[in-house]
Structures are given as structure tokens and as C-alpha cells.
Amino acid sequence: MRTVKSTLLGLTLGLMSFSVQPISKNESLKIMEHSPLEWKTEIIDLGEIPQGTPKVIEFEFKNTSKKAILITNVRPSCGCTNAEYTKDSIAPSKTGFVKATFNAANPGQFSKTITVTTTAEETPKVVSFKGTVVAKS
């Protein structure tokens, strides 16, 4: 009987240790804020593209904030993609771009990502493109 009481007491105390932490006002405001960059599109479907022909993909965005934004880093997901981007500051209400050149060397379906880091947000933005490389006949 003593073992049962000890077990129940331990279980009760263990369950009581799980408590819910309230979200502070600052944290809830961060969650509700929208991105200062408005992307024209975040995913581009290229459909079918011929093997051996590089394909250029352009992602465009608008700065909807009240201060200039700078792209600090652009990182494609693999070596088959090269990326260019707006190097200058993007003023409020102006647009910028991230341009990728995909080397369609291998036939088959593909899905690639590009990670874009800016001074506007702590979390990088990930944009993507996909399609199918059709083998040469």
C-alpha cells in the first residue's frame, strides 16, 4: 500500500512540473508581424526543360518597410545552381531580385531551394523552384 501511495505521489508531482509558460506581449507581436519583404512568388514551377540548357529563374520582391533593406547572403541548395541578387540597398517601396541559373544536366524531376538572408528579418527566407529535365532525344 505504501508503494502505491509513493508511486501516486511521484506521478502527481511529476505531472505538476509541466506548466504552460505565457507568451509575453513582445513575443506575440513578433508572431503577428508580417514580413517587410513582399515576394511576387516564393515557388516557381518550370515545367519541362531540355537537358543541357541552363535555365534562369528570377524571384522578385518589394520592400514594404519604412527603411532600406540589404540582402546579406544568398545560398543555393546545391552546386548545380548559381545565384545573383540585388547588391545595393533596397529603399522602401522599391523592388529587388534574386536570380538563379539552374544547370539542367541530369534528366528527371528536381526541386531546388535558395536561402535568402536580409537585414530585415532574423530568419532567412527560402524560395524554391521545381520542374522536370527532359533528356535529349
Side-chain angles (χ1 to χ4, degrees):
M1 186 69 174
R2 187 173 195 180
T3 309
V4 173
K5 286 183 182 179
S6 297
T7 304
L8 287 176
L9 179 62
L11 181 62
T12 303
L13 291 174
L15 289 175
M16 291 176 69
S17 68
F18 293 105
S19 63
V20 177
Q21 298 285 335
I23 296 176
S24 71
K25 282 186 178 182
N26 290 341
E27 288 180 50
S28 62
L29 288 176
K30 276 185 178 179
I31 293 169
M32 295 170 61
E33 288 178 1
H34 73 284
S35 172
L37 297 179
E38 186 177 290
W39 292 85
K40 191 172 181 179
T41 185
E42 296 176 24
I43 301 171
I44 296 177
D45 188 346
L46 301 173
E48 293 185 347
I49 60 174
Q51 182 180 11
T53 305
K55 180 72 175 174
V56 177
I57 306 99
E58 187 165 344
F59 296 92
E60 189 176 306
F61 62 88
K62 182 177 183 179
N63 179 357
T64 59
S65 74
K66 295 180 181 177
K67 60 182 181 178
I69 293 174
L70 183 66
I71 297 175
T72 56
N73 190 27
V74 173
R75 191 176 69 243
S77 59
C78 74
C80 61
T81 305
N82 293 320
E84 297 177 40
Y85 57 93
T86 305
K87 304 281 192 218
D88 298 325
S89 306
I90 300 106
S93 300
K94 299 298 180 188
T95 59
F97 70 89
V98 173
K99 190 184 295 186
T101 304
F102 172 64
N103 179 12
N106 298 318
Q109 291 186 336
F110 64 89
S111 180
K112 305 296 177 183
T113 62
I114 301 170
T115 304
V116 182
T117 308
T118 68
T119 57
E121 299 174 298
E122 291 179 22
T123 306
K125 180 69 175 175
V126 178
V127 294
S128 64
F129 60 96
K130 62 183 180 177
T132 303
V133 175
V134 180
K136 292 181 179 178
S137 345

